[in-house]
């Protein structure tokens, strides 16, 4: 698979890549991030989703964290409406069966399900199987 600058992003907090064979924008959180450290990777995912119309968005949240109030508000008022405009219809979460951040995941899932099909699984391949 060839990558151009819109197909991969990496920071200290996340790595995002477009996986062409699966038509997936795969966002992996490495560690806790807030404000610009949170928003820059999320914006990179959004840009890949715009570039690859109709792709699936999968977030590996196994290293997930509680978002600060400002990032949740930004996510709900800016990111999710922009995500919908990309044509994305499916959001996959990779999480253990029981996560330390269930409350955070529930908060996001309730909002995401208003516009997207949400799939939760323990592995990337298991998300793909449910599509």
């Amino acid at each position: 698979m060839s990558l151009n600058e819109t197909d991969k992003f990496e920071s200290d907090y996340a790595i995002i890549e477009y996986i062409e064979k699966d038509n997936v924008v795969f966002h992996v959180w490495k560690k806790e991030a807030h404000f610009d450290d949170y928003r820059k990777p999320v914006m990179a995912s959004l840009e890949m989703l715009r570039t690859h119309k109709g792709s699936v968005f999968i977030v590996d949240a196994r290293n997930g964290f509680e978002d600060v109030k400002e990032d949740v508000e930004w996510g709900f008022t800016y990111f999710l409406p922009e995500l919908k405009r990309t044509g994305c219809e499916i959001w996959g979460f990779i999480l253990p069966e029981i996560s330390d951040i269930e409350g955070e995941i529930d908060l996001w899932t309730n909002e995401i399900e208003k516009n997207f099909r949400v799939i939760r699984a323990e592995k990337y391949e298991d998300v793909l199987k449910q599509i």
Side-chain angles (χ1 to χ4, degrees):
M1 169 177 69
S2 65
L3 292 175
N4 61 44
E5 70 255 6
T6 61
D7 289 335
K8 190 163 188 155
F9 171 92
E10 185 164 5
S11 73
D12 290 342
Y13 302 92
I15 184 166
I16 300 99
E17 63 183 309
Y18 175 67
I19 301 172
E20 186 174 14
K21 70 181 180 63
D22 300 326
N23 195 29
V24 166
V25 172
F26 188 37
H27 184 122
V28 179
W29 286 111
K30 295 180 185 179
K31 63 182 181 179
E32 190 166 337
H34 303 293
F35 304 106
D36 281 348
D37 295 331
Y38 173 84
R39 296 174 193 189
K40 284 179 185 172
V42 171
M43 291 296 292
S45 289
L46 185 59
E47 200 52 46
M48 282 182 220
L49 287 154
R50 287 179 180 136
T51 301
H52 304 285
K53 295 281 186 200
S55 53
V56 174
F57 187 44
I58 298 179
V59 177
D60 184 336
R62 289 176 289 189
N63 293 320
F65 45 88
E66 298 279 335
D67 292 325
V68 295
K69 180 177 161 246
E70 294 87 347
D71 287 339
V72 173
E73 290 172 0
W74 177 84
F76 287 5
T77 61
Y78 176 78
F79 175 64
L80 290 178
E82 287 297 314
L83 180 62
K84 184 173 177 161
R85 288 185 190 96
T86 70
C88 176
E89 296 179 353
I90 300 172
W91 181 311
F93 274 121
I94 299 173
L95 286 160
E97 190 173 331
I98 303 295
S99 170
D100 293 340
I101 58 167
E102 285 300 324
E104 186 77 9
I105 296 303
D106 289 346
L107 173 76
W108 277 95
T109 299
N110 289 337
E111 192 66 23
I112 295 164
E113 284 179 331
K114 294 176 182 176
N115 292 293
F116 306 92
R117 177 177 164 213
V118 177
I119 298 170
R120 179 174 171 164
E122 292 184 46
K123 296 186 298 199
Y124 177 90
E125 297 77 18
D126 293 342
V127 174
L128 293 181
K129 286 178 190 171
Q130 294 182 57
I131 294 175

